[in-house]
Amino acid sequence: MTAARHHPDQLIVGLVSISDRAARGTYDDLGLPSLRDWLRRALRTPLQTHERLLPDERAQIEASLIELVDVVGCDLVLTTGGTGPSRRDITPEATLAVASRELPGFGEQMRRISLEFVPTAILSRQVGVLRETAEHAALILNLPGQPKAIAETLEGLKSEAGAVRAPGIFAAVPYCIQLIGGPYVETHDAVVKTFRPKAAVRPAAVQP
């Protein structure tokens, strides 16, 4: 059933954590709380989340992504985990399988940010894609598996003086969602500053 939007600008987000061990209950999942907490900290826009914890099984991942977009009606789906080179890491393949178009810049910037810390960032295979149907479109992004890396990837890196060293990928997410027909998403600048062309900025409401 399609989720009801309780406000015209409410952002409906699917959060998917992918880990064999967390799905079995071997250890507590950290991905979903990290994603949820970051969004609540970053967004000025009303938020509605739908969460899934899955093993590294391609068919289950594909089915969940399709359900979150086509059935639930998510505007954005964020996944965490399963993007490395090991044989069980198949999140990018599952994501590409349900995509209508790829947005390579998201993966490029995620690796650019991670390379500030570790040379093994080149092994990461995160992708960003659109899934589009006749009625709806959504942005799907693969994120790293560690909470610290999730935050760094989304909000970017700053110098001690506060200058932006590497923009976070979420700076481009609100405009992307706007372009594909989703709600008008706003963020707290102190966490991540949204970028839009001037023509796409909504005029501020006039206070009575």
Side-chain angles (χ1 to χ4, degrees):
M1 179 180 294
T2 302
R5 206 181 299 273
H6 303 300
H7 183 281
D9 289 333
Q10 185 175 51
L11 180 66
I12 302 176
V13 184
L15 304 178
V16 184
S17 185
I18 299 158
S19 166
D20 284 332
R21 288 180 290 175
R24 287 196 303 264
T26 304
Y27 61 68
D28 292 337
D29 171 65
L30 300 178
L32 293 175
S34 297
L35 292 170
R36 186 192 320 124
D37 293 347
W38 189 89
L39 287 169
R40 288 174 178 170
R41 183 164 58 89
L43 291 178
R44 294 173 55 200
T45 297
L47 174 67
Q48 179 183 150
T49 60
H50 298 263
E51 301 180 3
R52 306 288 185 269
L53 176 58
L54 304 174
D56 292 279
E57 296 291 346
R58 179 167 170 172
Q60 290 187 45
I61 298 169
E62 290 181 19
S64 186
L65 295 177
I66 291 170
E67 179 232 351
L68 286 167
V69 176
D70 297 9
V71 180
V72 178
C74 292
D75 309 297
L76 172 68
V77 178
L78 301 177
T79 76
T80 176
T83 60
S86 77
R87 294 190 178 188
R88 293 289 292 171
D89 289 335
I90 40 71
T91 301
E93 285 74 21
T95 302
L96 290 167
V98 305
S100 51
R101 289 185 286 168
E102 185 176 2
L103 298 172
F106 281 107
E108 293 166 3
Q109 185 62 9
M110 283 189 264
R111 285 179 283 278
R112 154 116 172 66
I113 292 169
S114 296
L115 279 167
E116 294 279 334
F117 302 99
V118 290
T120 50
I122 61 175
L123 303 178
S124 299
R125 302 184 302 112
Q126 294 104 320
V127 298
V129 306
L130 298 177
R131 177 171 173 83
E132 299 156 298
T133 68
E135 297 80 23
H136 184 62
L139 173 64
I140 304 175
L141 299 173
N142 299 157
L143 297 174
Q146 297 301 315
K148 181 174 182 291
I150 289 171
E152 290 164 348
T153 297
L154 290 170
E155 63 192 68
L157 307 176
K158 295 180 181 179
S159 68
E160 292 184 1
V164 175
R165 288 169 46 202
I169 63 167
F170 207 88
V173 168
Y175 184 48
C176 181
I177 291 173
Q178 184 178 350
L179 286 173
I180 61 176
Y184 190 88
V185 178
E186 296 182 285
T187 58
H188 293 290
D189 288 356
V191 180
V192 59
K193 187 173 182 179
T194 297
F195 177 82
R196 286 183 173 90
K198 290 182 180 180
V201 176
R202 177 188 292 175
V206 177
Q207 297 297 322

